[in-house]
Amino acid sequence: KRLPDKERQRLRKTLDRIKPKEHGLIVRTAAEDVTDEELQRDVARLLNQWEVIVDDSKKQGGPRLLNREPDLAVRLIREEFTKDFRGVVLDDNTLFEEVSGYMDAVTPALADRIEYYDTKSEGIDLFEKYHVYEQLQKALDKKVWLPSGGSLIIEHTEALTVIDVNTGKNVGSKSLEDTVFKNNLEAARETARQLRLRDIGGIIVIDFVDMENRKNRAEVVRVFREELALDKTRTQVYDIGDLGLVEMTRKRIGEGLLESVSTGCFTCESNGLLFDDTLFGHRQAIPGPSVSQVTNPK
């Protein structure tokens, strides 16, 4: 994400004024719309942290750890949590105290949005209460429903990810072109959301439903690019081709959601298919749930 030029100029002027001598400053995009007072407080905190590290380094000789990155929860708060979020809920009291202390020091205005969830008193798991398990399952499902009854089918291959757009139950009430156009607009918005949610990277091909009207094609791509602009990960989108396909790339930073929570199936060797027993000769069952082994026929 690139900050607007006006905001970049404002931040540059502010940092030139508050930058300590013999030090440099790196500003992340999270500094957008942050007040000068908040920036100055953050610089003072970092400078104090650096002085503690320097003093500690002089007390003892020899290689040793002087400082390290905070835990994942604090890093996530630091990188992602802004005023756009309603709050953060934690069910670990120690972690809650750590995150609250960090917010008090860095962004006091948002400190009251950190909430502790007591599982024992509530009587229900935090993820169950906020339907996290349900949402995770939906995020891994290959089929995604659209508001008007259409759907997306998301398929992963070694080379690329294919997203097929279907009208499904969306029959519309006007012309076929109008129905398809509205369905594709919904698909464009939802596809951009799914790419972020599932962290899908690499080459991606979206098969929109065919549209005859060139203006409608251009509008679908425009809306798609507009939605992708919300994505912090770099993307490149090409116009719809004659076959109704949109080709794009999204920078692959790490494992996607699917890869991070799954492993290949040893029964079908990740093919997603179980073949007829008779195709490869006699199959001898191996003890275990739904597992079989191919052996040479006699």
Side-chain angles (χ1 to χ4, degrees):
K1 178 182 177 181
R2 179 181 173 86
L3 295 178
D5 291 338
K6 185 176 181 180
E7 179 65 7
R8 290 168 64 89
Q9 293 174 4
R10 181 189 73 86
L11 289 172
R12 190 180 298 277
K13 289 181 180 179
T14 301
L15 296 177
D16 287 342
R17 187 178 70 254
I18 66 176
K19 184 177 73 70
K21 294 182 179 180
E22 300 180 356
H23 290 275
L25 296 174
I26 298 176
V27 182
R28 297 181 294 108
T29 54
E32 184 176 11
D33 297 329
V34 172
T35 65
D36 293 358
E37 291 75 15
E38 289 177 302
L39 290 172
Q40 192 163 8
R41 183 168 55 247
D42 205 18
V43 170
R45 180 186 63 83
L46 291 172
L47 187 60
N48 180 69
Q49 184 179 357
W50 171 247
E51 291 174 350
V52 170
I53 293 173
V54 172
D55 291 341
D56 191 29
S57 67
K58 297 177 181 178
K59 293 179 181 178
Q60 298 181 15
R64 61 194 179 90
L65 179 65
L66 296 174
N67 187 58
R68 64 180 176 185
E69 276 278 80
D71 292 335
L72 176 61
V74 176
R75 296 203 307 271
L76 184 62
I77 294 293
R78 181 186 65 191
E79 300 293 335
E80 303 293 341
F81 188 57
T82 65
K83 61 183 179 181
D84 296 329
F85 291 87
R86 288 179 295 177
V88 175
V89 184
L90 303 104
D91 62 356
D92 184 289
N93 190 55
T94 302
L95 192 58
F96 168 74
E97 295 293 341
E98 182 180 357
V99 172
S100 296
Y102 174 81
M103 292 301 296
D104 285 334
V106 177
T107 316
L110 300 180
D112 59 348
R113 301 191 188 188
I114 309 300
E115 176 185 347
Y116 174 65
Y117 181 86
D118 191 341
T119 304
K120 290 184 178 180
S121 62
E122 294 291 340
I124 184 174
D125 183 82
L126 176 63
F127 277 16
E128 289 184 7
K129 179 175 181 178
Y130 288 96
H131 308 287
V132 174
Y133 295 124
E134 179 183 344
Q135 294 302 316
L136 179 59
Q137 186 172 2
K138 287 183 178 180
L140 295 171
D141 196 346
K142 64 186 294 184
K143 188 169 188 176
V144 179
W145 289 103
L146 300 175
S148 296
S151 64
L152 305 177
I153 303 296
I154 303 175
E155 295 277 6
H156 299 276
T157 71
E158 288 291 333
L160 49 81
T161 299
V162 180
I163 302 178
D164 185 33
V165 180
N166 299 308
T167 54
K169 300 177 182 179
N170 185 7
V171 295
S173 58
K174 297 182 180 180
S175 67
L176 177 61
E177 177 72 15
D178 184 66
T179 299
V180 169
F181 175 55
K182 290 183 178 179
N183 187 84
N184 282 342
L185 286 178
E186 290 182 356
R189 297 186 180 97
E190 185 60 30
T191 297
R193 175 177 174 272
Q194 290 296 325
L195 294 180
R196 296 194 303 271
L197 180 65
R198 302 177 186 227
D199 197 15
I200 298 174
I203 300 173
I204 303 160
V205 176
I206 304 107
D207 183 11
F208 287 101
V209 184
D210 291 341
M211 293 174 289
E212 299 293 336
N213 192 312
R214 291 183 178 272
K215 290 184 179 180
N216 289 347
R217 290 186 181 186
E219 178 63 12
V220 168
V221 175
R222 186 196 68 79
V223 170
F224 187 42
R225 286 176 173 149
E226 185 178 79
E227 293 295 321
L228 286 175
L230 302 174
D231 196 345
K232 294 182 179 180
T233 304
R234 184 183 306 168
T235 59
Q236 185 173 5
V237 182
Y238 298 91
D239 292 335
I240 295 182
D242 293 336
L243 297 178
L245 303 177
V246 170
E247 300 171 352
M248 66 167 292
T249 59
R250 185 173 185 270
K251 186 176 181 181
R252 193 189 302 274
I253 298 178
E255 288 185 327
L257 176 62
L258 180 63
E259 292 80 7
S260 65
V261 299
S262 65
T263 56
C265 173
F266 63 88
T267 303
C268 68
E269 297 182 350
S270 301
N271 286 320
L273 298 169
L274 290 178
F275 295 98
D276 190 317
D277 290 356
T278 61
L279 288 178
F280 308 107
H282 177 66
R283 296 169 69 97
Q284 179 180 354
I286 297 177
S290 303
V291 179
S292 58
Q293 179 181 12
V294 177
T295 60
N296 292 327
K298 295 181 179 179

